[in-house]
Amino acid sequence: GAPVVDAAPTGADDPPGTPTLVVFDAPADAPVGPDDLADAAGIVRDLERLSALHREGALTDDEFARAKAARLAEEDTGSR
């Protein structure tokens, strides 16, 4: 399966709302193919775009949280 991607808060030295991307790898025996890597890259790209919009003030904290959760839910359900 594809890696699980999530955005987590950064350390205390970073400004509030600065996300850090955390990737949890699939089990070592799970096959990973080109489609899995493309899916993971798409998730990362989308989360980076949402983060940039949030950082620029185009998304409120609540809007960012809902959009991020919706994108991650799309990955969990395989819809997109």
Side-chain angles (χ1 to χ4, degrees):
V4 177
V5 180
D6 192 11
T10 59
D13 296 337
D14 295 320
T18 303
T20 295
L21 191 61
V22 179
V23 178
F24 301 96
D25 290 14
D29 60 347
V32 177
D35 290 341
D36 294 325
L37 297 176
D39 290 345
I43 295 166
V44 170
R45 182 184 58 247
D46 291 348
L47 291 175
E48 286 174 340
R49 180 181 53 84
L50 289 172
S51 178
L53 290 169
H54 181 242
R55 189 174 47 253
E56 294 165 2
L59 294 175
T60 65
D61 291 345
D62 186 54
E63 290 169 330
F64 172 70
R66 285 184 294 153
K68 180 180 76 169
R71 178 59 184 100
L72 293 172
E74 289 174 5
E75 176 60 21
D76 290 341
T77 62
S79 64
R80 175 121 185 169

Short mmCIF file of all heavy atoms in Angstrom, two decimals:
data_model
loop_
_atom_site.label_atom_id
_atom_site.label_comp_id
_atom_site.label_asym_id
_atom_site.label_seq_id
_atom_site.Cartn_x
_atom_site.Cartn_y
_atom_site.Cartn_z
N GLY A 1 0.82 -1.19 0.00
CA GLY A 1 0.00 0.00 0.00
C GLY A 1 0.86 1.24 0.00
O GLY A 1 2.06 1.21 0.22
N ALA A 2 0.21 2.35 -0.19
CA ALA A 2 0.88 3.65 -0.22
C ALA A 2 1.24 4.09 1.18
O ALA A 2 0.58 3.73 2.15
CB ALA A 2 -0.04 4.69 -0.87
N PRO A 3 2.29 4.88 1.32
CA PRO A 3 2.62 5.42 2.63
C PRO A 3 1.49 6.28 3.16
O PRO A 3 0.73 6.87 2.40
CB PRO A 3 3.86 6.28 2.36
CG PRO A 3 4.39 5.80 1.07
CD PRO A 3 3.22 5.28 0.30
N VAL A 4 1.38 6.34 4.47
CA VAL A 4 0.39 7.20 5.11
C VAL A 4 1.06 8.54 5.34
O VAL A 4 2.16 8.61 5.88
CB VAL A 4 -0.07 6.59 6.46
CG1 VAL A 4 -1.03 7.52 7.16
CG2 VAL A 4 -0.69 5.23 6.22
N VAL A 5 0.40 9.61 4.92
CA VAL A 5 0.98 10.94 5.01
C VAL A 5 0.12 11.77 5.94
O VAL A 5 -1.09 11.75 5.85
CB VAL A 5 1.06 11.61 3.62
CG1 VAL A 5 1.66 12.99 3.73
CG2 VAL A 5 1.86 10.74 2.68
N ASP A 6 0.76 12.52 6.82
CA ASP A 6 0.03 13.39 7.73
C ASP A 6 0.87 14.62 7.99
O ASP A 6 2.08 14.59 7.89
CB ASP A 6 -0.24 12.66 9.05
CG ASP A 6 -1.23 13.39 9.93
OD1 ASP A 6 -1.88 14.35 9.45
OD2 ASP A 6 -1.38 13.00 11.09
N ALA A 7 0.21 15.71 8.29
CA ALA A 7 0.91 16.94 8.66
C ALA A 7 0.82 17.08 10.17
O ALA A 7 -0.26 16.97 10.74
CB ALA A 7 0.30 18.14 7.96
N ALA A 8 1.94 17.30 10.81
CA ALA A 8 1.98 17.42 12.27
C ALA A 8 2.60 18.76 12.64
O ALA A 8 3.34 19.35 11.85
CB ALA A 8 2.82 16.28 12.84
N PRO A 9 2.29 19.27 13.83
CA PRO A 9 2.90 20.53 14.24
C PRO A 9 4.41 20.41 14.33
O PRO A 9 4.94 19.33 14.57
CB PRO A 9 2.31 20.78 15.63
CG PRO A 9 1.32 19.72 15.89
CD PRO A 9 1.43 18.69 14.81
N THR A 10 5.08 21.52 14.15
CA THR A 10 6.54 21.54 14.22
C THR A 10 6.99 21.83 15.65
O THR A 10 6.18 21.93 16.56
CB THR A 10 7.11 22.61 13.28
OG1 THR A 10 6.58 23.87 13.68
CG2 THR A 10 6.75 22.34 11.84
N GLY A 11 8.27 22.03 15.81
CA GLY A 11 8.84 22.31 17.12
C GLY A 11 8.49 23.69 17.62
O GLY A 11 7.92 24.52 16.92
N ALA A 12 8.84 23.96 18.85
CA ALA A 12 8.50 25.21 19.52
C ALA A 12 9.16 26.42 18.87
O ALA A 12 8.68 27.54 19.02
CB ALA A 12 8.90 25.13 20.99
N ASP A 13 10.24 26.23 18.13
CA ASP A 13 10.94 27.35 17.50
C ASP A 13 10.25 27.86 16.24
O ASP A 13 10.56 28.94 15.76
CB ASP A 13 12.38 26.95 17.15
CG ASP A 13 13.20 26.63 18.38
OD1 ASP A 13 12.86 27.12 19.48
OD2 ASP A 13 14.19 25.90 18.24
N ASP A 14 9.33 27.09 15.69
CA ASP A 14 8.67 27.47 14.46
C ASP A 14 7.42 28.30 14.74
O ASP A 14 6.80 28.14 15.79
CB ASP A 14 8.28 26.23 13.65
CG ASP A 14 9.49 25.46 13.18
OD1 ASP A 14 10.48 26.10 12.78
OD2 ASP A 14 9.46 24.22 13.23
N PRO A 15 7.06 29.18 13.80
CA PRO A 15 5.85 29.98 14.00
C PRO A 15 4.62 29.08 14.10
O PRO A 15 4.59 28.00 13.50
CB PRO A 15 5.77 30.84 12.74
CG PRO A 15 7.06 30.69 12.04
CD PRO A 15 7.73 29.47 12.56
N PRO A 16 3.59 29.51 14.84
CA PRO A 16 2.36 28.71 14.93
C PRO A 16 1.79 28.44 13.55
O PRO A 16 1.82 29.29 12.67
CB PRO A 16 1.41 29.60 15.74
CG PRO A 16 2.30 30.56 16.46
CD PRO A 16 3.53 30.74 15.59
N GLY A 17 1.28 27.24 13.35
CA GLY A 17 0.67 26.88 12.08
C GLY A 17 1.64 26.35 11.05
O GLY A 17 1.23 26.01 9.95
N THR A 18 2.93 26.30 11.37
CA THR A 18 3.91 25.77 10.42
C THR A 18 3.86 24.25 10.48
O THR A 18 4.19 23.66 11.50
CB THR A 18 5.34 26.24 10.78
OG1 THR A 18 5.36 27.66 10.81
CG2 THR A 18 6.35 25.72 9.77
N PRO A 19 3.41 23.59 9.39
CA PRO A 19 3.30 22.13 9.44
C PRO A 19 4.62 21.45 9.10
O PRO A 19 5.47 22.02 8.43
CB PRO A 19 2.27 21.82 8.37
CG PRO A 19 2.44 22.92 7.39
CD PRO A 19 2.85 24.14 8.19
N THR A 20 4.77 20.27 9.61
CA THR A 20 5.87 19.39 9.24
C THR A 20 5.24 18.15 8.65
O THR A 20 4.29 17.62 9.20
CB THR A 20 6.70 18.99 10.48
OG1 THR A 20 7.32 20.16 10.99
CG2 THR A 20 7.77 17.97 10.11
N LEU A 21 5.74 17.71 7.54
CA LEU A 21 5.21 16.52 6.90
C LEU A 21 5.83 15.29 7.54
O LEU A 21 7.05 15.18 7.64
CB LEU A 21 5.50 16.55 5.40
CG LEU A 21 4.78 15.51 4.59
CD1 LEU A 21 3.27 15.70 4.71
CD2 LEU A 21 5.19 15.62 3.15
N VAL A 22 4.98 14.39 7.99
CA VAL A 22 5.43 13.15 8.60
C VAL A 22 4.92 12.01 7.74
O VAL A 22 3.73 11.93 7.46
CB VAL A 22 4.86 13.01 10.03
CG1 VAL A 22 5.32 11.71 10.67
CG2 VAL A 22 5.27 14.20 10.88
N VAL A 23 5.81 11.14 7.29
CA VAL A 23 5.42 10.01 6.45
C VAL A 23 5.71 8.73 7.21
O VAL A 23 6.82 8.50 7.66
CB VAL A 23 6.20 10.01 5.11
CG1 VAL A 23 5.81 8.81 4.27
CG2 VAL A 23 5.94 11.30 4.35
N PHE A 24 4.67 7.92 7.36
CA PHE A 24 4.82 6.63 8.01
C PHE A 24 4.83 5.58 6.90
O PHE A 24 3.87 5.44 6.16
CB PHE A 24 3.65 6.38 8.96
CG PHE A 24 3.54 7.42 10.02
CD1 PHE A 24 2.69 8.49 9.88
CD2 PHE A 24 4.33 7.35 11.15
CE1 PHE A 24 2.60 9.47 10.85
CE2 PHE A 24 4.24 8.31 12.13
CZ PHE A 24 3.38 9.38 11.97
N ASP A 25 5.92 4.87 6.79
CA ASP A 25 6.07 3.89 5.72
C ASP A 25 5.18 2.68 5.94
O ASP A 25 4.86 2.32 7.06
CB ASP A 25 7.52 3.43 5.62
CG ASP A 25 8.43 4.52 5.10
OD1 ASP A 25 8.02 5.68 5.05
OD2 ASP A 25 9.54 4.20 4.72
N ALA A 26 4.81 2.06 4.84
CA ALA A 26 4.08 0.80 4.89
C ALA A 26 5.01 -0.27 5.45
O ALA A 26 6.23 -0.10 5.47
CB ALA A 26 3.62 0.44 3.48
N PRO A 27 4.46 -1.39 5.91
CA PRO A 27 5.31 -2.48 6.41
C PRO A 27 6.36 -2.86 5.37
O PRO A 27 6.13 -2.77 4.17
CB PRO A 27 4.33 -3.62 6.64
CG PRO A 27 3.00 -2.97 6.79
CD PRO A 27 3.04 -1.71 5.97
N ALA A 28 7.52 -3.31 5.85
CA ALA A 28 8.65 -3.62 4.98
C ALA A 28 8.30 -4.66 3.93
O ALA A 28 8.85 -4.63 2.83
CB ALA A 28 9.84 -4.08 5.81
N ASP A 29 7.39 -5.58 4.24
CA ASP A 29 7.06 -6.62 3.28
C ASP A 29 5.96 -6.22 2.31
O ASP A 29 5.61 -6.97 1.41
CB ASP A 29 6.68 -7.92 4.01
CG ASP A 29 5.47 -7.74 4.91
OD1 ASP A 29 5.07 -6.59 5.18
OD2 ASP A 29 4.93 -8.76 5.37
N ALA A 30 5.41 -5.01 2.46
CA ALA A 30 4.36 -4.54 1.55
C ALA A 30 4.99 -4.07 0.25
O ALA A 30 5.93 -3.29 0.25
CB ALA A 30 3.59 -3.40 2.19
N PRO A 31 4.48 -4.57 -0.87
CA PRO A 31 5.03 -4.12 -2.16
C PRO A 31 4.67 -2.66 -2.43
O PRO A 31 3.57 -2.23 -2.13
CB PRO A 31 4.37 -5.05 -3.18
CG PRO A 31 3.16 -5.56 -2.51
CD PRO A 31 3.43 -5.54 -1.03
N VAL A 32 5.61 -1.92 -2.93
CA VAL A 32 5.39 -0.52 -3.29
C VAL A 32 5.72 -0.38 -4.76
O VAL A 32 6.81 -0.71 -5.20
CB VAL A 32 6.28 0.42 -2.45
CG1 VAL A 32 6.09 1.86 -2.88
CG2 VAL A 32 5.99 0.26 -0.97
N GLY A 33 4.75 0.10 -5.51
CA GLY A 33 4.93 0.24 -6.94
C GLY A 33 4.87 1.69 -7.37
O GLY A 33 4.67 2.59 -6.55
N PRO A 34 5.02 1.94 -8.65
CA PRO A 34 5.00 3.31 -9.18
C PRO A 34 3.71 4.04 -8.86
O PRO A 34 3.72 5.24 -8.60
CB PRO A 34 5.18 3.12 -10.68
CG PRO A 34 5.71 1.75 -10.86
CD PRO A 34 5.29 0.96 -9.67
N ASP A 35 2.57 3.33 -8.87
CA ASP A 35 1.30 3.99 -8.56
C ASP A 35 1.27 4.47 -7.12
O ASP A 35 0.74 5.54 -6.83
CB ASP A 35 0.12 3.05 -8.83
CG ASP A 35 -0.09 2.79 -10.31
OD1 ASP A 35 0.41 3.58 -11.14
OD2 ASP A 35 -0.75 1.78 -10.63
N ASP A 36 1.83 3.68 -6.21
CA ASP A 36 1.89 4.08 -4.81
C ASP A 36 2.72 5.34 -4.64
O ASP A 36 2.36 6.25 -3.90
CB ASP A 36 2.47 2.96 -3.93
CG ASP A 36 1.59 1.74 -3.89
OD1 ASP A 36 0.35 1.88 -3.90
OD2 ASP A 36 2.14 0.63 -3.85
N LEU A 37 3.86 5.39 -5.33
CA LEU A 37 4.73 6.55 -5.23
C LEU A 37 4.06 7.79 -5.83
O LEU A 37 4.17 8.89 -5.29
CB LEU A 37 6.07 6.27 -5.90
CG LEU A 37 6.89 5.14 -5.27
CD1 LEU A 37 8.15 4.89 -6.07
CD2 LEU A 37 7.21 5.44 -3.82
N ALA A 38 3.36 7.62 -6.93
CA ALA A 38 2.65 8.74 -7.55
C ALA A 38 1.54 9.24 -6.64
O ALA A 38 1.34 10.45 -6.50
CB ALA A 38 2.08 8.32 -8.90
N ASP A 39 0.82 8.30 -5.98
CA ASP A 39 -0.23 8.69 -5.05
C ASP A 39 0.36 9.49 -3.89
O ASP A 39 -0.18 10.52 -3.49
CB ASP A 39 -0.96 7.47 -4.50
CG ASP A 39 -1.83 6.77 -5.54
OD1 ASP A 39 -2.10 7.39 -6.60
OD2 ASP A 39 -2.22 5.62 -5.29
N ALA A 40 1.46 9.01 -3.33
CA ALA A 40 2.10 9.70 -2.21
C ALA A 40 2.58 11.09 -2.63
O ALA A 40 2.42 12.06 -1.89
CB ALA A 40 3.27 8.88 -1.67
N ALA A 41 3.15 11.20 -3.83
CA ALA A 41 3.61 12.49 -4.33
C ALA A 41 2.44 13.45 -4.50
O ALA A 41 2.55 14.64 -4.21
CB ALA A 41 4.36 12.33 -5.65
N GLY A 42 1.30 12.93 -4.95
CA GLY A 42 0.10 13.76 -5.10
C GLY A 42 -0.41 14.27 -3.77
O GLY A 42 -0.82 15.43 -3.65
N ILE A 43 -0.37 13.42 -2.77
CA ILE A 43 -0.81 13.83 -1.43
C ILE A 43 0.11 14.92 -0.90
O ILE A 43 -0.34 15.95 -0.39
CB ILE A 43 -0.82 12.63 -0.46
CG1 ILE A 43 -1.85 11.61 -0.90
CG2 ILE A 43 -1.10 13.09 0.96
CD1 ILE A 43 -1.69 10.28 -0.21
N VAL A 44 1.41 14.69 -1.02
CA VAL A 44 2.38 15.68 -0.55
C VAL A 44 2.18 17.01 -1.26
O VAL A 44 2.14 18.07 -0.64
CB VAL A 44 3.83 15.17 -0.76
CG1 VAL A 44 4.84 16.27 -0.50
CG2 VAL A 44 4.10 13.98 0.14
N ARG A 45 2.01 16.96 -2.58
CA ARG A 45 1.80 18.19 -3.36
C ARG A 45 0.55 18.92 -2.88
O ARG A 45 0.57 20.13 -2.66
CB ARG A 45 1.68 17.83 -4.84
CG ARG A 45 1.51 19.03 -5.76
CD ARG A 45 1.29 18.64 -7.21
NE ARG A 45 0.12 17.77 -7.35
CZ ARG A 45 0.15 16.48 -7.71
NH1 ARG A 45 1.31 15.90 -7.99
NH2 ARG A 45 -0.94 15.76 -7.80
N ASP A 46 -0.54 18.19 -2.66
CA ASP A 46 -1.78 18.81 -2.21
C ASP A 46 -1.64 19.40 -0.81
O ASP A 46 -2.12 20.50 -0.54
CB ASP A 46 -2.92 17.80 -2.23
CG ASP A 46 -3.32 17.40 -3.65
OD1 ASP A 46 -2.89 18.06 -4.62
OD2 ASP A 46 -4.08 16.41 -3.78
N LEU A 47 -0.97 18.68 0.09
CA LEU A 47 -0.79 19.20 1.45
C LEU A 47 0.12 20.43 1.45
O LEU A 47 -0.11 21.38 2.22
CB LEU A 47 -0.24 18.11 2.38
CG LEU A 47 -1.21 16.97 2.69
CD1 LEU A 47 -0.51 15.91 3.52
CD2 LEU A 47 -2.46 17.47 3.37
N GLU A 48 1.14 20.42 0.60
CA GLU A 48 2.01 21.60 0.49
C GLU A 48 1.23 22.81 -0.03
O GLU A 48 1.41 23.92 0.44
CB GLU A 48 3.20 21.30 -0.41
CG GLU A 48 4.22 20.40 0.24
CD GLU A 48 5.34 19.99 -0.71
OE1 GLU A 48 5.16 20.07 -1.94
OE2 GLU A 48 6.39 19.58 -0.20
N ARG A 49 0.35 22.57 -1.00
CA ARG A 49 -0.47 23.65 -1.56
C ARG A 49 -1.41 24.21 -0.48
O ARG A 49 -1.52 25.43 -0.30
CB ARG A 49 -1.29 23.14 -2.75
CG ARG A 49 -2.16 24.20 -3.39
CD ARG A 49 -2.96 23.63 -4.56
NE ARG A 49 -3.73 22.45 -4.20
CZ ARG A 49 -4.94 22.48 -3.63
NH1 ARG A 49 -5.52 23.62 -3.38
NH2 ARG A 49 -5.57 21.35 -3.33
N LEU A 50 -2.05 23.32 0.28
CA LEU A 50 -2.93 23.77 1.35
C LEU A 50 -2.15 24.53 2.42
O LEU A 50 -2.61 25.55 2.93
CB LEU A 50 -3.64 22.56 1.99
CG LEU A 50 -4.71 21.90 1.15
CD1 LEU A 50 -5.18 20.61 1.81
CD2 LEU A 50 -5.89 22.85 0.92
N SER A 51 -0.97 24.04 2.74
CA SER A 51 -0.13 24.71 3.74
C SER A 51 0.25 26.11 3.28
O SER A 51 0.23 27.06 4.07
CB SER A 51 1.12 23.88 4.00
OG SER A 51 1.96 24.53 4.92
N ALA A 52 0.60 26.24 2.01
CA ALA A 52 0.97 27.55 1.47
C ALA A 52 -0.22 28.51 1.53
O ALA A 52 -0.07 29.68 1.92
CB ALA A 52 1.48 27.42 0.04
N LEU A 53 -1.40 28.03 1.17
CA LEU A 53 -2.59 28.88 1.24
C LEU A 53 -2.87 29.30 2.67
O LEU A 53 -3.23 30.45 2.94
CB LEU A 53 -3.80 28.13 0.66
CG LEU A 53 -3.79 27.92 -0.84
CD1 LEU A 53 -4.90 26.95 -1.25
CD2 LEU A 53 -3.94 29.25 -1.57
N HIS A 54 -2.69 28.39 3.60
CA HIS A 54 -2.89 28.70 5.02
C HIS A 54 -1.87 29.72 5.50
O HIS A 54 -2.20 30.70 6.16
CB HIS A 54 -2.81 27.40 5.83
CG HIS A 54 -3.01 27.60 7.30
ND1 HIS A 54 -2.04 27.29 8.20
CD2 HIS A 54 -4.07 28.06 8.00
CE1 HIS A 54 -2.49 27.55 9.41
NE2 HIS A 54 -3.72 28.02 9.31
N ARG A 55 -0.61 29.50 5.17
CA ARG A 55 0.47 30.39 5.57
C ARG A 55 0.27 31.80 5.02
O ARG A 55 0.56 32.79 5.67
CB ARG A 55 1.81 29.80 5.10
CG ARG A 55 3.03 30.49 5.62
CD ARG A 55 4.32 29.77 5.23
NE ARG A 55 4.40 29.37 3.83
CZ ARG A 55 4.29 28.11 3.38
NH1 ARG A 55 4.08 27.12 4.21
NH2 ARG A 55 4.37 27.85 2.09
N GLU A 56 -0.27 31.88 3.79
CA GLU A 56 -0.50 33.19 3.15
C GLU A 56 -1.77 33.86 3.64
O GLU A 56 -2.05 35.01 3.26
CB GLU A 56 -0.58 32.99 1.63
CG GLU A 56 0.73 32.54 1.02
CD GLU A 56 0.58 32.01 -0.40
OE1 GLU A 56 -0.55 32.01 -0.94
OE2 GLU A 56 1.59 31.56 -0.96
N GLY A 57 -2.54 33.18 4.47
CA GLY A 57 -3.76 33.77 5.01
C GLY A 57 -4.99 33.53 4.16
O GLY A 57 -6.06 34.05 4.48
N ALA A 58 -4.87 32.76 3.08
CA ALA A 58 -6.02 32.49 2.23
C ALA A 58 -6.97 31.47 2.86
O ALA A 58 -8.13 31.40 2.50
CB ALA A 58 -5.56 31.99 0.86
N LEU A 59 -6.45 30.67 3.80
CA LEU A 59 -7.26 29.70 4.54
C LEU A 59 -7.13 29.98 6.03
O LEU A 59 -6.01 30.18 6.52
CB LEU A 59 -6.81 28.26 4.28
CG LEU A 59 -6.98 27.70 2.88
CD1 LEU A 59 -6.37 26.30 2.80
CD2 LEU A 59 -8.45 27.64 2.50
N THR A 60 -8.24 29.96 6.75
CA THR A 60 -8.19 30.08 8.21
C THR A 60 -7.68 28.77 8.79
O THR A 60 -7.59 27.76 8.07
CB THR A 60 -9.59 30.37 8.78
OG1 THR A 60 -10.43 29.23 8.53
CG2 THR A 60 -10.20 31.64 8.20
N ASP A 61 -7.39 28.76 10.08
CA ASP A 61 -6.95 27.53 10.73
C ASP A 61 -7.99 26.43 10.54
O ASP A 61 -7.67 25.28 10.23
CB ASP A 61 -6.71 27.75 12.22
CG ASP A 61 -5.50 28.62 12.51
OD1 ASP A 61 -4.68 28.84 11.59
OD2 ASP A 61 -5.39 29.09 13.66
N ASP A 62 -9.27 26.80 10.73
CA ASP A 62 -10.35 25.82 10.60
C ASP A 62 -10.48 25.32 9.16
O ASP A 62 -10.63 24.12 8.92
CB ASP A 62 -11.67 26.44 11.07
CG ASP A 62 -12.79 25.42 11.11
OD1 ASP A 62 -12.62 24.37 11.75
OD2 ASP A 62 -13.84 25.68 10.48
N GLU A 63 -10.42 26.23 8.20
CA GLU A 63 -10.51 25.83 6.80
C GLU A 63 -9.36 24.91 6.41
O GLU A 63 -9.55 23.91 5.70
CB GLU A 63 -10.51 27.06 5.88
CG GLU A 63 -11.78 27.88 5.97
CD GLU A 63 -11.65 29.22 5.28
OE1 GLU A 63 -10.53 29.79 5.22
OE2 GLU A 63 -12.69 29.72 4.79
N PHE A 64 -8.16 25.24 6.88
CA PHE A 64 -6.99 24.40 6.60
C PHE A 64 -7.17 23.01 7.19
O PHE A 64 -6.94 22.00 6.51
CB PHE A 64 -5.73 25.06 7.15
CG PHE A 64 -4.51 24.18 7.07
CD1 PHE A 64 -3.92 23.89 5.85
CD2 PHE A 64 -3.94 23.66 8.22
CE1 PHE A 64 -2.79 23.09 5.77
CE2 PHE A 64 -2.82 22.85 8.15
CZ PHE A 64 -2.25 22.57 6.93
N ALA A 65 -7.60 22.95 8.44
CA ALA A 65 -7.78 21.66 9.11
C ALA A 65 -8.83 20.81 8.39
O ALA A 65 -8.63 19.61 8.18
CB ALA A 65 -8.17 21.86 10.57
N ARG A 66 -9.93 21.43 7.98
CA ARG A 66 -10.98 20.69 7.28
C ARG A 66 -10.51 20.22 5.90
O ARG A 66 -10.77 19.09 5.50
CB ARG A 66 -12.25 21.52 7.15
CG ARG A 66 -13.02 21.61 8.48
CD ARG A 66 -14.32 22.34 8.34
NE ARG A 66 -13.99 23.74 8.02
CZ ARG A 66 -14.77 24.55 7.34
NH1 ARG A 66 -15.93 24.16 6.91
NH2 ARG A 66 -14.40 25.79 7.10
N ALA A 67 -9.80 21.10 5.17
CA ALA A 67 -9.32 20.73 3.83
C ALA A 67 -8.28 19.62 3.92
O ALA A 67 -8.30 18.68 3.11
CB ALA A 67 -8.74 21.95 3.13
N LYS A 68 -7.40 19.70 4.90
CA LYS A 68 -6.38 18.67 5.08
C LYS A 68 -7.04 17.34 5.44
O LYS A 68 -6.71 16.29 4.85
CB LYS A 68 -5.40 19.08 6.18
CG LYS A 68 -4.31 18.05 6.42
CD LYS A 68 -3.36 18.48 7.50
CE LYS A 68 -4.01 18.30 8.84
NZ LYS A 68 -3.09 18.46 9.96
N ALA A 69 -7.99 17.37 6.36
CA ALA A 69 -8.69 16.14 6.75
C ALA A 69 -9.45 15.54 5.56
O ALA A 69 -9.44 14.33 5.37
CB ALA A 69 -9.65 16.43 7.90
N ALA A 70 -10.08 16.40 4.76
CA ALA A 70 -10.80 15.92 3.59
C ALA A 70 -9.85 15.26 2.59
O ALA A 70 -10.14 14.20 2.03
CB ALA A 70 -11.57 17.06 2.93
N ARG A 71 -8.69 15.86 2.38
CA ARG A 71 -7.71 15.29 1.42
C ARG A 71 -7.18 13.96 1.92
O ARG A 71 -7.03 13.01 1.15
CB ARG A 71 -6.57 16.28 1.19
CG ARG A 71 -5.49 15.76 0.26
CD ARG A 71 -6.08 15.40 -1.10
NE ARG A 71 -5.09 14.82 -1.99
CZ ARG A 71 -4.96 13.51 -2.22
NH1 ARG A 71 -5.76 12.64 -1.63
NH2 ARG A 71 -4.05 13.06 -3.05
N LEU A 72 -6.89 13.89 3.21
CA LEU A 72 -6.40 12.63 3.76
C LEU A 72 -7.49 11.56 3.74
O LEU A 72 -7.20 10.39 3.53
CB LEU A 72 -5.85 12.84 5.16
CG LEU A 72 -4.57 13.69 5.22
CD1 LEU A 72 -4.20 14.00 6.65
CD2 LEU A 72 -3.43 13.03 4.49
N ALA A 73 -8.74 11.97 3.95
CA ALA A 73 -9.86 11.02 3.89
C ALA A 73 -10.02 10.48 2.46
O ALA A 73 -10.35 9.32 2.28
CB ALA A 73 -11.14 11.68 4.36
N GLU A 74 -9.77 11.31 1.46
CA GLU A 74 -9.82 10.86 0.07
C GLU A 74 -8.83 9.74 -0.15
O GLU A 74 -9.12 8.75 -0.82
CB GLU A 74 -9.50 12.00 -0.91
CG GLU A 74 -10.57 13.03 -1.03
CD GLU A 74 -10.13 14.21 -1.89
OE1 GLU A 74 -9.02 14.17 -2.47
OE2 GLU A 74 -10.88 15.18 -1.97
N GLU A 75 -7.64 9.88 0.43
CA GLU A 75 -6.61 8.85 0.29
C GLU A 75 -7.05 7.56 0.99
O GLU A 75 -6.87 6.47 0.46
CB GLU A 75 -5.28 9.33 0.87
CG GLU A 75 -4.19 8.29 0.85
CD GLU A 75 -3.84 7.78 -0.53
OE1 GLU A 75 -4.11 8.47 -1.52
OE2 GLU A 75 -3.28 6.68 -0.62
N ASP A 76 -7.64 7.70 2.19
CA ASP A 76 -8.06 6.53 2.94
C ASP A 76 -9.16 5.74 2.21
O ASP A 76 -9.20 4.52 2.27
CB ASP A 76 -8.57 6.91 4.33
CG ASP A 76 -7.45 7.37 5.24
OD1 ASP A 76 -6.28 7.06 4.96
OD2 ASP A 76 -7.75 8.04 6.25
N THR A 77 -10.04 6.46 1.51
CA THR A 77 -11.14 5.80 0.83
C THR A 77 -10.81 5.47 -0.62
O THR A 77 -11.57 4.81 -1.29
CB THR A 77 -12.42 6.67 0.84
OG1 THR A 77 -12.15 7.90 0.13
CG2 THR A 77 -12.86 6.96 2.26
N GLY A 78 -9.67 5.97 -1.10
CA GLY A 78 -9.26 5.71 -2.47
C GLY A 78 -10.00 6.54 -3.50
O GLY A 78 -9.87 6.32 -4.69
N SER A 79 -10.78 7.52 -3.05
CA SER A 79 -11.49 8.37 -4.00
C SER A 79 -10.66 9.60 -4.32
O SER A 79 -9.88 10.07 -3.52
CB SER A 79 -12.84 8.82 -3.42
OG SER A 79 -12.64 9.61 -2.27
N ARG A 80 -10.80 10.07 -5.53
CA ARG A 80 -10.14 11.30 -5.96
C ARG A 80 -10.44 11.49 -7.41
O ARG A 80 -10.38 10.62 -8.20
CB ARG A 80 -8.64 11.24 -5.73
CG ARG A 80 -7.97 12.44 -6.29
CD ARG A 80 -7.23 13.20 -5.30
NE ARG A 80 -6.82 14.34 -6.12
CZ ARG A 80 -6.30 15.40 -5.66
NH1 ARG A 80 -6.10 15.53 -4.43
NH2 ARG A 80 -5.96 16.39 -6.42
#
